[in-house]
Amino acid sequence: MASLDNIIYRAGVDYESRPMVVLCACNLPDPSKVDYDVILRVVLAQLEQFVENDYTVVMFSGGALYRPGWRWLFKAYRSLNRRYKKNLKALYIVHPSTWPRLILGTMNAVISPKFGAKVHYIDNLSHLARVVPLNQINIPPAVYQHNLKLESTITLPEGQEDHAHRVFGAPLERLMGPNGEKGLPVFIQDCINNLTKNGLYVEGLFRRSPSSAMLKQVRAAYDRGNPIFLAEYDIHISAVLLKLFLRELPEPIFPVAIYAQLQQQNRTQVKTTLEFVKTEVVARVGHNNLVLMMEVFRLLKMVADRHESNKMTVHNLALVMTPNMVRHEDVMQEIALSTVGTRDRESTVEGALTLGTVIKFMIEYYEDVF
């Protein structure tokens, strides 16, 4: 039987510092394949950890494929003895359909009207953000998808729109520390780990686009500080998020100072392309940028090594990645710097140097460059 950990799990704390427990109806399995009495025992065992103190439950009702029957629900309700109900301070039902409203309304009227006062129906995630801190909850993809039917953007309450958790557009010095003492940003680790584990053989990686609506949801979640498990999402979301992060850095990963140097060079005029890249490009990159660059190019090299499966050759990767690493106030200059050249292997060692050809070279000869 599949793990039931994603049906009920611990979140952070609510606005009154009470622990939160999350129930996800969208992760309920097919009742014809899984005994729901086993699920009930798991739920009760998880709740047992909290019943001695005040706690809050958030139930995501939207996006569910399967619904337990009335008989099982009454059994589950009756299993929640006084210990469970006494210290439960609030039960938030998010994206309630007619189904949970009818069932809970009937149970509360027949069995415990007092318990009904603790039940609150939450229309969307913006509404939920007003009653509990969203950045304390790992929200499943199916819930985000369902929420898109109700609102295009999640709006935080006034006063919560701080940028302490902002990832996109944030300087590396804040994310990594002035000297890199914080290490690689968690967001970058998440993307690279997911792509390494699940994406290396996926055709069109870094070229194909995911759902733009879901991409915006995941991006906003990272900027809010929400915990995100990228393996639950389309693999192309991780790839595009990584490109967006590089594109929106306040200072590009390759320093602007090297642009003029590149434009003055021709690879037939330098001793070797490798020597030039190591001494005139990589050596001029700051510490934080270099740490990030090494991890990104290591990933790109692994993708390129599997190009027979994923169709992403060194040339193809340079084409899609370079525009996210170049920044120039003159659009025409930016286009010129992004030029990658031909698909021939020899094009990495002959002809005019651009940042595009340098990036192509750095992917292909990663071990020599770094």
Side-chain angles (χ1 to χ4, degrees):
M1 185 180 68
S3 171
L4 303 178
D5 293 343
N6 59 355
I7 296 174
I8 179 169
Y9 52 88
R10 169 76 185 269
V13 296
D14 65 14
Y15 285 129
E16 297 182 34
S17 297
R18 297 180 297 223
M20 291 189 291
V21 183
V22 178
L23 283 166
C24 296
C26 62
N27 290 327
L28 285 171
D30 185 345
S32 67
K33 298 180 180 179
V34 177
D35 184 352
Y36 270 41
D37 285 344
V38 174
I39 296 176
L40 178 57
R41 290 196 292 271
V42 171
V43 170
L44 293 176
Q46 288 285 347
L47 291 178
E48 187 71 31
Q49 305 174 51
F50 306 100
V51 295
E52 300 303 327
N53 300 289
D54 293 350
Y55 69 103
T56 294
V57 172
V58 175
M59 177 181 172
F60 292 116
S61 177
L65 297 177
Y66 304 104
R67 304 286 192 187
W70 280 79
R71 181 177 298 178
W72 184 87
L73 287 165
F74 271 104
K75 179 179 180 180
Y77 190 91
R78 289 187 177 277
S79 298
L80 296 173
N81 59 39
R82 186 174 181 276
R83 287 196 314 123
Y84 292 96
K85 297 172 185 175
K86 178 184 176 183
N87 289 325
L88 174 63
K89 296 307 175 184
L91 169 59
Y92 296 110
I93 310 292
V94 185
H95 302 142
S97 62
T98 304
W99 173 76
R101 288 180 185 269
L102 274 175
I103 292 174
L104 280 170
T106 301
M107 291 178 179
N108 292 335
V110 174
I111 304 173
S112 176
K114 186 176 180 181
F115 181 77
K118 300 181 179 183
V119 179
H120 307 276
Y121 297 107
I122 307 296
D123 297 327
N124 52 49
L125 293 180
S126 293
H127 184 184
L128 182 63
R130 297 198 294 270
V131 293
V132 297
L134 282 192
N135 62 6
Q136 297 284 309
I137 303 174
N138 180 10
I139 301 173
V143 174
Y144 281 124
Q145 191 70 54
H146 185 84
N147 196 68
L148 282 170
K149 301 174 184 177
L150 306 169
E151 57 178 354
S152 59
T153 303
I154 299 170
T155 303
L156 297 182
E158 187 176 355
Q160 287 190 28
E161 290 281 4
D162 61 58
H163 299 291
H165 300 287
R166 184 164 61 94
V167 171
F168 295 90
L172 287 180
E173 289 72 17
R174 181 173 72 75
L175 297 174
M176 301 176 66
N179 301 303
E181 59 270 18
K182 296 180 182 178
L184 203 64
V186 172
F187 161 75
I188 296 296
Q189 295 181 46
D190 287 351
C191 286
I192 291 178
N193 289 341
N194 188 41
L195 291 166
T196 301
K197 184 176 180 181
N198 302 308
L200 294 181
Y201 294 92
V202 175
E203 185 173 335
L205 192 69
F206 287 109
R207 187 182 71 234
R208 292 186 175 175
S209 300
S211 159
S212 59
M214 283 304 293
L215 178 69
K216 291 176 182 176
Q217 295 293 309
V218 179
R219 171 186 170 139
Y222 268 111
D223 275 342
R224 287 193 303 269
N226 272 89
I228 292 289
F229 186 42
L230 286 176
E232 296 179 342
Y233 296 85
D234 179 356
I235 191 64
H236 297 293
I237 284 181
S238 294
V240 174
L241 284 175
L242 184 56
K243 291 196 295 183
L244 285 173
F245 176 84
L246 294 171
R247 180 67 183 173
E248 297 183 16
L249 283 172
E251 297 293 332
I253 191 168
F254 286 93
V256 175
I258 71 169
Y259 293 175
Q261 182 80 359
L262 284 171
Q263 292 173 325
Q264 294 171 9
Q265 297 295 326
N266 184 290
R267 273 166 289 174
T268 61
Q269 298 172 337
V270 296
K271 191 171 183 179
T272 66
T273 302
L274 178 61
E275 179 184 345
F276 177 81
V277 169
K278 291 179 72 172
T279 61
E280 302 298 330
V281 178
V282 175
R284 296 173 181 265
V285 174
H287 176 76
N288 286 343
N289 290 43
L290 182 59
V291 170
L292 175 61
M293 186 182 290
M294 289 177 66
E295 292 302 312
V296 170
F297 276 85
R298 181 178 64 85
L299 171 65
L300 296 176
K301 172 63 174 172
M302 288 192 289
V303 174
D305 286 345
R306 293 157 179 81
H307 68 270
E308 291 185 1
S309 297
N310 58 43
K311 312 303 181 187
M312 295 304 293
T313 61
V314 169
H315 180 87
N316 291 340
L317 285 169
L319 279 176
V320 296
M321 295 303 295
T322 300
N324 302 289
M325 301 186 191
V326 177
R327 198 82 46 80
H328 201 290
E329 57 185 14
D330 185 331
V331 175
M332 297 308 296
Q333 285 292 324
E334 185 169 314
I335 293 172
L337 284 164
S338 298
T339 302
V340 175
T342 69
R343 295 177 182 273
D344 296 336
R345 182 182 178 90
E346 291 301 316
S347 69
T348 60
V349 294
E350 294 179 1
L353 276 177
T354 66
L355 194 57
T357 54
V358 166
I359 288 173
K360 181 178 177 180
F361 183 90
M362 290 172 67
I363 298 172
E364 187 164 7
Y365 298 99
Y366 173 84
E367 291 85 357
D368 297 316
V369 171
F370 296 103

